[in-house]
Amino acid sequence: MRAVEFFDTTLRDGEQQPGLNLNRDEKLEIAKQLDRLGVDIIEAGFPASNEGDFLSVKQIAETVKNSTVTGLSRVKKQDIDIAYDALKNTAAPRIHLFIATSDVHIKHKLFMTQDEVLASAVEAVKYAKTLFKTVQFSAEDACRTDWGFLTRISEAVIEAGVDVINLPDTVGYTTPNEIRAMFKHMKDNVKGVEKIKLSSHCHDDLGMAVANSLAAVEGGADQVECTINGLGERAGNASLEEIAVALHIRKDHYQRSSNLVLSEIKRTSNLVSTLSGTVVPGNKAIVGANAFAHESGIHQDGVLKESTTYEIITPELVGVEKNKLVLGKLSGKHAFRNKVVELGFDPTDEELKRVFASFKALAHKKKNVTDDDIFALMAADKAGSPVGQYELQSLQVNVATQANVIQTATVIVKTPNGETVEEAATGKGSVEAVYNTLARIIGEEIRLDDYRIQSVSGGEDALAEVVVHLTYKDDSSLGRGTAHDVLEASAYAYLNAVNRILLGNPAKQSAEQPVKS
């Protein structure tokens, strides 16, 4: 069977999801896991968009061992040069050029003619080919582009030397029948198409991103662009895990394979979910917590007698482990390192030292430390609390359940200038009291847009994980905090979000968040 290439854009298109911001350590950790998953291409960012993205793409390109790393670029010489500086040290430098081709984009966004768009694309491809081994061109909004112009611009960039043409459903508008027909049209009518690969990139605005991606494969697509857990702006992108498992389970129909290590899917999904602060719905296909759960008595009876009665996918196929109880307070650093690596992390000695100390503290409070607990501790460390930013030193909250009694919080924080500040404030609830106190210390208006809390694992002694979205200084940011105490986790999440904004571009961040158990 011919393999479909998987182009993962979690770190570029996926990060455009509102409120999602990853620091450089987090992006690198995800890239390493994508490499273990076996994705063919990792789109690590948009190097020309800002210094943070440039540095992140460069770092990932110089670290990843097996996957090809690429960066997005407009059809501008300056963008191409910056992308080359970020990617030139890879074994096979690759760039992803794009320009819109639909009439609505050309007229109302670009203020150009079709001929001008075509000329810009050809010029960019020719120049990029002097620097990059592989050049991909995307006709943005291809699914709403006139097929005549789509054919014409495709033939022009092929003649200019392009290697891959991507035909995105940028606004999630098309249907499976339409996109299948478009790819078949391109395969049958574009001169020179046999020299290049065709790629799909589908958004989920109408809930058909995965179905459209699979239809594109049926129509002749050689590559699919997607994200882990379907991350992305608006309704998100096609989910890598759903496309990959569909191709595997229904290979009798699609007659296509992939280079993915499917047993790494669940681990990858967990990592992206934790670091991005986005919760995977329990009923999500392939990676949801309930994907392999059976409650109906008839279903349970059938599965116990023969699993294939109601399970078309085995949990083991995607790396779901049934036994998660692991280390305890007597476990040593060597065993802990092995477990951390098994969970998909590649810690430095300093990172391991910090998280092992947090693990030991947790193990003395919690009878059973699970894989999920260790995963949360590692992810919290990756979240970072940049050196020279706000750092929680102490937290005390007076809680009362009587009616009309105001909650009071006293907080000690180390500020960016190195000063230690103690402040107190009240609130209708304990979390509000903590956040009012932190806002008073910071001294500026901060709006809490969203607050989510969940236990990392089951039991009374479970770690608490808090995710917040804040608006501060006209910028929005996500923050995460993990601790044994709910209020402490809440404080860490709040300060983590503020610190990300203060540091400017989140991708520039690279430092340490104290992880408490």
Side-chain angles (χ1 to χ4, degrees), residues 195-211:
K195 303 174 186 176
I196 61 123
K197 293 178 179 178
L198 290 181
S199 172
S200 73
H201 177 123
C202 297
H203 282 262
D204 206 34
D205 297 72
L206 295 179
M208 292 188 284
V210 170

Side-chain angles (χ1 to χ4, degrees), residues 266-308:
K266 181 60 174 173
R267 184 179 291 120
T268 310
S269 171
N270 288 347
L271 181 67
V272 171
S273 173
T274 301
L275 295 184
S276 66
T278 56
V279 177
V280 175
N283 64 341
K284 187 181 187 305
I286 314 302
V287 293
N290 299 333
F292 303 101
H294 303 275
E295 185 168 329
S296 163
I298 294 175
H299 286 213
Q300 291 174 345
D301 179 63
V303 169
L304 289 172
K305 290 175 178 174
E306 168 54 51
S307 62
T308 57

Side-chain angles (χ1 to χ4, degrees), residues 95 124-135 160-163:
I95 191 171
V125 169
K126 285 181 177 179
Y127 179 66
K129 281 300 289 184
T130 66
L131 302 173
F132 292 88
K133 179 179 180 181
T134 303
V135 174
V162 83
D163 302 284

Side-chain angles (χ1 to χ4, degrees), residues 475-515:
D475 201 353
S476 178
S477 179
L478 172 147
R480 297 198 320 275
T482 303
H484 213 212
D485 180 80
V486 169
L487 297 178
E488 194 173 3
S490 299
Y492 281 127
Y494 190 95
L495 290 178
N496 183 245
V498 170
N499 286 336
R500 287 172 181 261
I501 294 174
L502 286 177
L503 201 62
N505 189 313
K508 298 179 186 177
Q509 298 178 31
S510 177
E512 309 155 10
Q513 175 191 17
V515 181

